[in-house]
Amino acid sequence: NAAVIASLNHYPLLYVNQDSVPAATASAFTALGVTKVIFVERNEIGADVRASLPTIEKDLMTMQEIIDEIKSYPASENYVTATSTKTGEGFFAPAAMLAAYHGAPVIRVEDAPDGDPAAVAQRIHTWQRWDGDFYHGSRSTGHLPQADAPVEQNKLTVYITLLKFFLGKNVTVPPYGLDAKRYWNEEMYTKFHNYIVSLGLDNDGQEGYVTVAPRDDITLELHSALMGNNSYAGDIPGNTPAYTNDIVVRNILYPALIY
């Protein structure tokens, strides 16, 4: 997100360590005549280096402060880039480059307050894969169980109903799969959307969402669930950060420069 703020201001982006200013950064401060900085230090990770910096014009210590700063610029688009740090391989870099192009924030799916929506997407993906006989080598995917009417989702109520059924009571057994197609997709979308709302990113008009991560981190099911009347979505996959970076450059940044 520091890259996004730097882009919106046309400022250089310089890095510091948690407890020191690297020689290259100190040299850049001098060469560029830097007297003030915007310090992006989520969760106060830069507490031990603040005193070594030029005058701090803005000190952004929380995710909300960072997002509020980004959205304060008129050039910031109604757009959200979502990535993941599960693999720890640096996909935040191409995500930040794409976000900087749109002047919009980068969020991590793992930070969603109601639970990781990508974990639900993985659950859906796994079901469909194994239901499609993936175990025996089939490349086709199966389908989530689907019902034609609302299905009770309270686990205790379902359990009691099953007990009554096995005891010979006259009860209706819930359909196989408990309409997972509806409720799992609803759970996934709700967790993501609640995260967006909690950050103040559910604005007027259609939101644009894009996921930037390998398929093992964020599967296509999440991207698909974000398509709707009030939003549109895209997905930039890749096996490595370098490959994902190339996709962003060749498909977005390069066309933006030449057309």
Side-chain angles (χ1 to χ4, degrees):
N1 283 302
V4 178
I5 295 171
S7 177
L8 286 166
N9 284 285
H10 303 291
Y11 290 168
L13 175 63
L14 302 174
Y15 292 87
V16 295
N17 298 322
Q18 285 185 268
D19 56 358
S20 64
V21 177
T25 300
S27 176
F29 284 154
T30 301
L32 296 173
V34 175
T35 58
K36 295 185 296 183
V37 298
I38 298 175
F39 192 29
V40 182
E41 51 155 339
R42 184 180 174 186
N43 297 331
E44 300 190 59
I45 60 172
D48 294 334
V49 76
R50 287 188 202 126
S52 302
L53 297 174
T55 301
I56 298 177
E57 184 177 37
K58 297 177 183 178
D59 194 356
L60 308 177
M61 301 183 187
T62 68
M63 187 63 177
Q64 192 61 63
E65 289 178 350
I66 293 168
I67 287 179
D68 290 345
E69 172 68 17
I70 291 172
K71 300 309 294 183
S72 70
Y73 296 90
S76 180
E77 298 180 19
N78 193 12
Y79 194 90
V80 178
T81 302
T83 190
S84 170
T85 55
K86 291 176 185 174
T87 58
E89 293 182 356
F91 285 85
F92 63 87
M97 184 165 57
L98 177 61
Y101 172 75
H102 290 284
V106 180
I107 63 172
R108 298 185 304 191
V109 290
E110 297 92 340
D111 294 338
D114 297 332
D116 184 358
V120 184
Q122 186 64 54
R123 185 201 312 161
I124 295 171
H125 185 76
T126 301
W127 174 291
Q128 292 177 151
R129 173 178 287 180
W130 291 96
D131 188 53
D133 206 25
F134 182 79
Y135 180 80
H136 292 107
S138 173
R139 290 184 177 273
S140 63
T141 57
H143 303 278
L144 292 176
Q146 186 173 4
D148 56 9
V151 177
E152 175 62 59
Q153 293 296 300
N154 184 280
K155 293 180 181 179
L156 179 59
T157 301
V158 172
Y159 180 68
I160 292 173
T161 300
L162 288 174
L163 283 179
K164 289 180 178 179
F165 174 78
F166 289 123
L167 291 173
K169 304 295 183 180
N170 185 22
V171 295
T172 301
V173 176
Y176 168 74
L178 301 177
D179 198 2
K181 183 175 179 63
R182 171 187 171 178
Y183 292 102
W184 285 7
N185 278 282
E186 182 180 36
E187 177 189 359
M188 175 174 58
Y189 170 80
T190 300
K191 286 181 176 181
F192 188 89
H193 187 253
N194 287 351
Y195 185 23
I196 296 300
V197 171
S198 72
L199 295 171
L201 293 173
D202 186 19
N203 299 314
D204 294 335
Q206 281 189 308
E207 272 77 41
Y209 300 123
V210 65
T211 52
V212 182
R215 292 279 168 80
D216 288 341
D217 284 5
I218 303 178
T219 64
L220 279 174
E221 285 75 17
L222 177 58
H223 148 250
S224 299
L226 298 177
M227 296 288 289
N229 292 331
N230 294 318
S231 62
Y232 58 94
D235 175 58
I236 297 181
N239 293 326
T240 66
Y243 180 77
T244 303
N245 178 77
D246 289 345
I247 295 175
V248 173
V249 170
R250 293 173 183 175
N251 290 279
I252 298 167
L253 302 186
Y254 179 67
L257 287 173
I258 66 172
Y259 292 115

